[in-house]
Amino acid sequence: MATGGAGQLFAVTTNPPQATGDGLAMALRAGVPVADVEFMQFHPTALHHPAMPRPLLSEALRGHGALLRDGRGERFVDELLSRDVVSRAMTARMLEQEVEHLWLDATALDAFDDRFPTIAASVRAVGLDPARDWLPIAPAAHYLSGGIVTDLDGASALPGLWACGEVACTGVHGANRLASNSLLEGMAFAPRVVEAIVGGKEGPAPAGALRAVLAAESPAEGSVPVRRIHRRPPPLLARAGGEAAAPAPHSAATTAERRDRLQRAMTAGAGVLRSAASLAETDKVLDELATPEEGPQGWELTNLLTAAGALLAAAEARQESRGAHSRTDFPETSPAWRCRLVLA
Ligand SMILES: Cc1cc2nc3c(=O)[nH]c(=O)nc-3n(C[C@H](O)[C@H](O)[C@H](O)COP(=O)(O)OP(=O)(O)OC[C@H]3O[C@@H](n4cnc5c(N)ncnc54)[C@H](O)[C@@H]3O)c2cc1C
């Protein structure tokens, strides 16, 4: 399984349209352990523009002196803090000032076009001049730190199912992925998966993130303890000759509308800042949307709903704030929750 992330769970994302959590959803349907899905990393500085996926204005800009300004043009956070802290500060400020975006002021940077040619091209493409204009920005869903739990060779708990890349939970990202750590997934884990399969490895080993999952009753010393949680049943898939009682599947047009509704509900209730109340509101929307779908668009929506159900279950269960998971009703990090939430 190498199907990538699930940024399309949210209305605002840097991820391509294919990042619909298909692999994650397939694993959940098969009862294969999946973990850390509450840790969706939001990138603070995505260009606020109707284009989706949102172009990224990389950390390098802030590293070179670009400033974050709120709706009134004032600075409000240390620009060099980590992604989760900056995204939280921005979201809180956007809610307080009732604005849809804030600003990145890179006007004082010298030779912008020469030093950041890709970013310059993407902002100039939407009519902005980085030497003169403040750039509109908002946090966007960027990277799912969790996924299918694997050992250090990419073997999942189901013999024969291997996972690699953003769809996998190898354990290296923990609750708060560091920027550019996808390189680890590609450069360390991808060759290990290939070597293990070619070398005839048949099943999972008690190693990496899978170690504690396989040994849930008596976790090995040094491994992150595991708590198992229940997930909502995945929505029905429409099948020819399926159960007579199943309601009729939706048309492609309404499927697109329903995907949009899911994304907006996830952004509002399960995004950068969450609470029991906002997660429950999102749950209600999922309940309303959980009906049979058919065709590729419908199957994608079914997978999104399945992945969303897992993310909500984990976010509801984790009554603390840790890394990329921020609960406004539980703002502190609690040692009681120093564990990996596993759905299966
Ligand atoms: C804008 C942006 C900038 C980034 N910058 C960095 C960076 O600087 N450094 C870093 O380390 N990481 C970065 N990341 C993260 C990193 O790029 C991704 O985590 C990584 O590319 C994921 O690789 P992958 O092979 O797991 O998945 P992907 O590259 O997403 O590939 C998944 C593939 O599976 C296909 N697929 C999906 N579902 C199905 C299906 N049902 N059937 C068949 N095929 C399917 C997709 O079409 C796609 O081709 C960035 C991500 C984004 C979005």
Side-chain angles (χ1 to χ4, degrees):
M1 201 76 86
T3 49
Q8 289 293 322
L9 285 171
F10 295 88
V12 178
T13 181
T14 61
N15 288 190
Q18 300 86 347
T20 49
D22 289 1
L24 195 68
M26 284 188 254
L28 285 161
R29 282 196 289 275
V32 178
V34 157
D36 289 353
V37 287
E38 65 275 37
F39 301 118
M40 169 65 81
Q41 178 174 74
F42 290 82
H43 196 295
T45 53
L47 187 67
H48 181 75
H49 181 264
M52 206 66 73
R54 292 273 163 96
L56 262 190
L57 306 183
S58 95
E59 266 101 8
L61 296 179
R62 279 175 282 143
H64 283 80
L67 303 176
L68 289 171
R69 297 190 184 279
D70 69 10
R72 299 191 194 105
E74 285 162 15
R75 286 179 70 193
F76 60 97
V77 66
D78 177 349
E79 284 81 1
L80 301 182
L81 289 173
S82 59
R83 285 182 181 173
D84 60 313
V85 181
V86 176
S87 288
R88 271 197 299 279
M90 287 179 64
T91 303
R93 192 55 66 113
M94 285 160 66
L95 290 170
E96 188 189 307
Q97 298 189 335
E98 297 181 357
V99 292
E100 285 195 351
H101 68 81
L102 303 177
W103 302 99
L104 186 68
D105 172 5
T107 54
L109 269 60
D110 288 333
F112 190 105
D113 289 52
D114 294 336
R115 288 157 86 191
F116 309 104
T118 312
I119 300 174
S122 64
V123 299
R124 286 188 185 283
V126 299
L128 294 166
D129 175 357
R132 197 195 60 210
D133 301 316
W134 289 356
L135 308 172
I137 45 154
H142 186 59
Y143 189 95
L144 185 62
S145 296
I148 302 170
V149 185
T150 69
D151 70 9
L152 293 175
D153 292 323
S156 78
L158 179 67
L161 179 68
W162 306 75
C164 188
E166 197 170 330
V167 72
C169 173
T170 55
V172 296
H173 304 306
N176 208 3
R177 167 189 179 254
L178 294 176
S180 268
N181 260 1
S182 322
L183 289 176
L184 266 178
E185 305 286 0
M187 297 185 74
F189 287 91
R192 289 183 70 100
V193 173
V194 173
E195 283 162 18
I197 295 173
V198 170
K201 177 169 169 166
E202 285 184 355
L210 199 56
R211 179 162 65 149
V213 174
L214 292 180
E217 302 308 315
S218 52
E221 201 181 327
S223 61
V224 179
V226 159
R227 273 196 214 180
R228 289 184 188 269
I229 53 171
H230 294 295
R231 63 190 176 91
R232 64 170 50 245
L236 300 166
L237 284 173
R239 288 202 185 107
E243 288 175 31
H250 301 267
S251 70
T254 58
T255 299
E257 283 161 20
R258 288 147 51 74
R259 176 166 167 157
D260 183 58
R261 188 159 172 234
L262 169 72
Q263 291 170 328
R264 282 186 287 111
M266 289 292 287
T267 293
V272 177
L273 299 174
R274 306 144 174 192
S275 67
S278 76
L279 291 165
E281 280 302 308
T282 314
D283 250 336
K284 276 191 220 157
V285 176
L286 251 66
D287 280 340
E288 287 168 31
L289 294 175
T291 49
E293 299 285 345
E294 66 176 13
Q297 285 186 10
W299 300 328
E300 266 189 352
L301 177 56
T302 299
N303 288 338
L304 281 169
L305 287 164
T306 306
L311 191 153
L312 284 182
E316 281 161 5
R318 186 174 285 283
Q319 296 185 335
E320 65 156 0
S321 292
R322 180 184 295 270
H325 169 71
S326 294
R327 291 270 306 246
T328 52
D329 47 351
F330 294 98
E332 304 299 327
T333 301
S334 160
W337 287 98
R338 190 187 163 274
C339 61
R340 176 162 280 132
L341 295 181
V342 178
L343 298 106

